[in-house]
Amino acid sequence: MSTSEKRQSTSGKRMSQSGIEPKMETMKLTEEQAASSNNTPAESAKPTEKPKKQDKERKDQKSTAKSSQQQSKKKAEEPALIGITCSKSEDLSEWYQQVILKGEMLEFTDIPGCYIYQPASYRIWEFIQSFFNDRIRKMKVKNCYFPLFITEANLQREKDHIEGFAAEVAWVTEGGKNKLEKRLAVRPTSETAMYSFYSKKIRSHRDLPLKMNQWNNVVRWEFKHPMPFLRSREFLWQEGHTAHMTEEEAGKEVLEILDHYAAIYEDLLAVPVVKGKKTIAEQFPGAHYTTTLEGFIPSVGRGIQAATSHCLGQHFAKMFDITVEDPNQQVKDGQARDKLHVWQNSWGFTTRSIGVMVLIHGDDKGLIIPPRVAEVQVVIVPVGVTAKMADADKQKLYDEVDKLRQTLEDVDIRVECDYREGYNVGYKFNDWEMKGVPLRLEFGPKDAAKGIVTTSRRDQSGSKGEIPVSDIGSEVPKLLEEIQKSMYQKASDEYAAHRKIVRDWADFVPTLNDKNVILVPHCTTEDCEDQIKKDSTGNVEGQEVDVRAPSMGAKSLCIPAEQPEEIKEGTKCVNPKCGKEAVKWVMFGRSY
Ligand code: 86X
């Protein structure tokens, strides 16, 4: 397999039959955007959808716009809340788009594949940053920053695998009115920039380990359909790059980082992941081995790569001449010691994680943000405020609400009170639900009289509870933790239920078609995987086929660290055309 083919398989170039990508961008492009967009091959690679469908979408958009106008005419004094108008199960693509736009997470721009991260999503990124920074600082990793631009000569030093990535590099060719003598790449990743520096910086074994991390933005000019958060041309990430004296030390770090990544997903975002190792066919070609987290999107039954931590071996050290003298070698006076190449790792975590979180937890009312990353954890909505209510009574209620807020803030809960005038309670409830606030407290004269607040969990629509006012300082934090736990548990149970053991090839494709990922006994070789990809391709019943990619084969997602059982001696690879012995349970699936 050529490097470029490898690269293609690594990044999963195939499109879905039912995924959420097909309409994402076309839908949202306004006419001006469409008109002004300089049709690069990506944008002009039409038709991206069946024309019929596109027409329907346009109509939908227009009719939505119209009905909202009509509505606002009808009730001019009361703003109309246009909630999520489609269901997650029926049209995931449309649902996802509405949820992130109406939840004010993200906005489209006039550049396809580049998005505005509104405060609601950027705040989640900040929670992730501070959590991860705490962890890596304990490992003595230092944050730093390298330039956005990389010279072509430097980028070419990675020539071994650059070939496979070349099509995605964005270039700056002009500065002001002058053409640059040498064009500059916008970083797609910083290996070449950082390792040239490492080569200078690392002189002796005393300079090791060297552990640096950047929080930055990178650009990969994807030609696949862009999707907000999940696959964008510019994205935010952290890239960690470390150099070690020994393979053992490097290997330990790779797994430690993978654990931190899993903790971000599971403990912060309440998203279950499977830890594992990439097969040769799917690993980063420049790596010695690649460890990975694999997530799962139940609505489409597809896997999604959640993060990677690579052991690079000595591959880059040889390319970039990163060496130290052997500290253990016995030498006579004046005799030079042998040079040892360092062992390197790299690891990355991106804003894709936010999209995965939205897809997993959101429902037909909109976002559901896990409490630990919610900017607003609790919203207090005063209820039972009527027009004929005396001002003094209203003020009394609001003062009590403010006391509730103070009590919660004193125990570090992030609270918002909704005192907005001119919006009815139903509107307010829907609005905060759309934004995903995990817990709503309702407080009105009746509650005040009983000395309680009414609770409504965002993750359990319709079920309400009560907490005595005197206990909210202790009970609300507990309830938030319960919400966090139960969101994770629900998602985890669902992932587990859709991770099926398959022993026979006859069950391979049908089980995938039932929206599962599968664990199969496999030989872990590249050729066999290619074969499986071909043989598992085909139309999926009941799922619409994207015209740009009529079918999608399954690829290996990872070799799970936790194997379901031992592979018994004599077990054959699941692929009947392969004939080799199975060596591991490998997780296969259709994937993003
Ligand atoms: C591979 C590997 C690695 C640091 C990570 O996965 C974690 C963080 N980097 C990145 N990769 C490339 O090397 C690459 C290179 C070019 Cl020039 C490109 F255009 C795209 C790339 N994509 C991925």
Side-chain angles (χ1 to χ4, degrees):
M1 206 188 198
S2 74
T3 313
S4 72
E5 278 170 323
K6 240 186 223 162
R7 160 63 179 149
Q8 297 217 336
S9 68
T10 308
S11 59
K13 283 276 192 269
R14 295 143 310 279
M15 298 289 346
S16 69
Q17 287 103 6
S18 76
I20 64 169
E21 54 276 74
K23 356 184 160 141
M24 217 98 275
E25 207 71 22
T26 35
M27 275 223 37
K28 218 29 220 182
L29 268 183
T30 63
E31 258 118 80
E32 306 101 293
Q33 287 166 359
S36 70
S37 90
N38 252 332
N39 278 345
T40 67
E43 282 93 73
S44 60
K46 297 166 288 194
T48 54
E49 295 157 54
K50 287 189 207 145
K52 244 194 194 162
K53 183 104 196 187
Q54 228 168 17
D55 286 351
K56 185 188 159 287
E57 275 153 14
R58 291 237 177 79
K59 247 184 260 152
D60 285 352
Q61 274 195 312
K62 274 188 202 143
S63 69
T64 312
K66 210 183 186 177
S67 65
S68 73
Q69 269 170 18
Q70 281 167 347
Q71 240 167 302
S72 57
K73 235 180 249 168
K74 243 189 277 162
K75 294 185 177 180
E77 69 286 352
E78 193 175 273
L81 178 113
I82 307 302
I84 311 302
T85 60
C86 71
S87 88
K88 189 181 186 183
S89 59
E90 274 165 25
D91 190 346
L92 187 68
S93 170
E94 170 69 18
W95 173 87
Y96 180 66
Q97 185 169 309
Q98 284 195 19
V99 164
I100 57 179
L101 291 174
K102 295 182 179 180
E104 294 180 359
M105 294 276 267
L106 176 138
E107 259 307 333
F108 288 83
T109 70
D110 55 357
I111 310 159
C114 296
Y115 307 102
I116 298 162
Y117 289 60
Q118 291 218 65
S121 61
Y122 200 79
R123 188 71 188 95
I124 295 172
W125 190 237
E126 288 180 326
F127 280 120
I128 292 172
Q129 288 183 312
S130 86
F131 178 92
F132 191 66
N133 274 334
D134 285 350
R135 297 278 185 119
I136 61 175
R137 279 185 190 124
K138 287 192 181 123
M139 299 169 69
K140 303 272 184 336
V141 176
K142 306 271 204 280
N143 282 332
C144 62
Y145 189 79
F146 281 71
L148 171 64
F149 303 117
I150 301 174
T151 62
E152 185 159 24
N154 200 0
L155 201 64
Q156 280 301 333
R157 294 186 70 182
E158 203 191 341
K159 58 185 175 301
D160 276 20
H161 40 270
I162 194 84
E163 179 199 337
F165 299 116
E168 288 182 359
V169 178
W171 297 95
V172 175
T173 57
E174 280 154 54
K177 290 184 175 164
N178 304 316
K179 199 168 181 301
L180 296 187
E181 215 165 280
K182 289 179 175 155
R183 61 179 186 165
L184 295 170
V186 182
R187 68 174 160 234
T189 178
S190 302
E191 276 80 354
T192 57
M194 293 179 80
Y195 301 163
S196 303
F197 167 78
Y198 278 28
S199 165
K200 275 191 275 179
K201 171 112 179 152
I202 299 169
R203 305 262 98 176
S204 124
H205 67 277
R206 285 173 222 97
D207 300 322
L208 294 176
L210 180 61
K211 305 184 183 188
M212 290 167 70
N213 178 64
Q214 295 193 63
W215 291 96
N216 62 20
N217 55 338
V218 288
V219 169
R220 295 179 185 174
W221 212 253
E222 297 263 3
F223 287 82
K224 275 182 288 176
H225 218 77
M227 289 175 282
F229 298 118
L230 303 179
R231 189 195 299 128
S232 51
R233 285 180 166 167
E234 178 184 3
F235 58 87
L236 307 183
W237 72 349
Q238 60 67 221
E239 48 175 321
H241 296 263
T242 63
H244 306 260
M245 190 72 226
T246 65
E247 175 172 21
E248 193 198 351
E249 188 184 296
K252 219 179 113 210
E253 183 196 77
V254 166
L255 294 180
E256 229 174 307
I257 292 293
L258 200 70
D259 283 344
H260 297 331
Y261 286 161
I264 298 176
Y265 272 102
E266 302 199 319
D267 301 343
L268 289 188
L269 304 179
V271 167
V273 287
V274 168
K275 287 181 203 167
K277 204 169 158 177
K278 284 291 186 188
T279 58
I280 302 289
E282 291 297 332
Q283 83 179 36
F284 167 42
H288 179 37
Y289 59 88
T290 294
T291 66
T292 179
L293 297 182
E294 297 295 322
F296 178 68
I297 309 296
S299 334
V300 280
R302 283 163 61 174
I304 185 161
Q305 173 146 352
T308 48
S309 176
H310 310 279
C311 177
L312 300 172
Q314 295 172 303
H315 195 69
F316 282 93
K318 286 174 187 163
M319 268 192 293
F320 287 84
D321 190 29
I322 312 174
T323 58
V324 296
E325 287 179 355
D326 185 349
N328 298 321
Q329 190 185 9
Q330 301 294 327
V331 285
K332 295 190 194 110
D333 277 354
Q335 189 192 334
R337 292 173 195 270
D338 290 343
K339 297 274 186 192
L340 297 179
H341 288 101
V342 301
W343 289 83
Q344 289 177 270
N345 295 336
S346 80
W347 22 275
F349 188 101
T350 81
T351 39
R352 163 180 269 203
S353 51
I354 299 170
V356 175
M357 181 206 84
V358 169
L359 278 170
I360 288 183
H361 298 306
D363 69 8
D364 287 352
K365 290 178 172 180
L367 294 165
I368 306 183
I369 312 290
R372 291 191 191 155
V373 292
E375 164 75 328
V376 181
Q377 297 173 305
V378 174
V379 60
I380 312 178
V381 182
V383 299
V385 180
T386 58
K388 51 181 191 251
M389 198 170 181
D391 278 355
D393 290 339
K394 196 159 108 182
Q395 195 51 53
K396 186 167 165 258
L397 184 73
Y398 284 4
D399 287 346
E400 283 177 272
V401 166
D402 200 56
K403 256 193 233 143
L404 297 174
R405 178 190 58 77
Q406 194 58 58
T407 307
L408 293 176
E409 279 179 358
D410 288 346
V411 290
D412 293 327
I413 303 292
R414 299 183 286 273
V415 197
E416 199 71 56
C417 299
D418 192 346
Y419 296 118
R420 285 180 291 177
E421 304 263 346
Y423 293 78
N424 66 34
V425 162
Y427 175 98
K428 290 181 179 180
F429 287 2
N430 290 334
D431 190 32
W432 293 109
E433 281 169 357
M434 201 156 70
K435 292 185 173 134
V437 173
L439 181 62
R440 178 175 76 230
L441 300 182
E442 300 160 20
F443 191 74
K446 284 180 197 157
D447 301 288
K450 283 200 275 179
I452 54 127
V453 290
T454 300
T455 62
S456 175
R457 284 173 62 160
R458 178 63 183 87
D459 66 320
Q460 292 182 355
S461 254
S463 82
K464 296 206 180 188
E466 289 179 356
I467 300 177
V469 169
S470 54
D471 295 350
I472 61 164
S474 60
E475 289 307 310
V476 168
K478 265 193 234 162
L479 190 49
L480 287 172
E481 271 308 296
E482 203 177 303
I483 293 170
Q484 178 84 32
K485 237 188 242 141
S486 113
M487 285 177 73
Y488 173 77
Q489 200 54 50
K490 179 173 172 248
S492 173
D493 291 347
E494 189 149 29
Y495 194 175
H498 289 272
R499 211 159 55 228
K500 296 263 165 63
I501 289 188
V502 165
R503 293 166 202 274
D504 302 316
W505 177 253
D507 300 326
F508 194 104
V509 173
T511 312
L512 289 179
N513 289 354
D514 287 341
K515 296 189 179 172
N516 296 304
V517 292
I518 56 178
L519 290 158
V520 297
H522 192 254
C523 63
T524 73
T525 70
E526 218 171 341
D527 294 348
C528 175
E529 261 189 62
D530 288 347
Q531 182 80 56
I532 288 180
K533 208 169 284 165
K534 280 191 204 111
D535 291 349
S536 59
T537 296
N539 291 357
V540 181
E541 226 179 297
Q543 293 192 3
E544 195 190 319
V545 173
D546 177 6
V547 290
R548 288 163 302 155
S551 50
M552 182 196 215
K555 67 177 184 184
S556 82
L557 303 172
C558 73
I559 307 167
E562 198 180 304
Q563 292 275 298
E565 57 185 66
E566 230 178 280
I567 298 265
K568 287 185 202 80
E569 234 183 275
T571 307
K572 291 279 178 221
C573 175
V574 73
N575 175 8
K577 294 182 186 166
C578 167
K580 288 187 280 292
E581 299 270 306
V583 296
K584 287 281 179 188
W585 289 94
V586 178
M587 190 161 86
F588 273 79
R590 301 203 168 95
S591 115
Y592 280 100

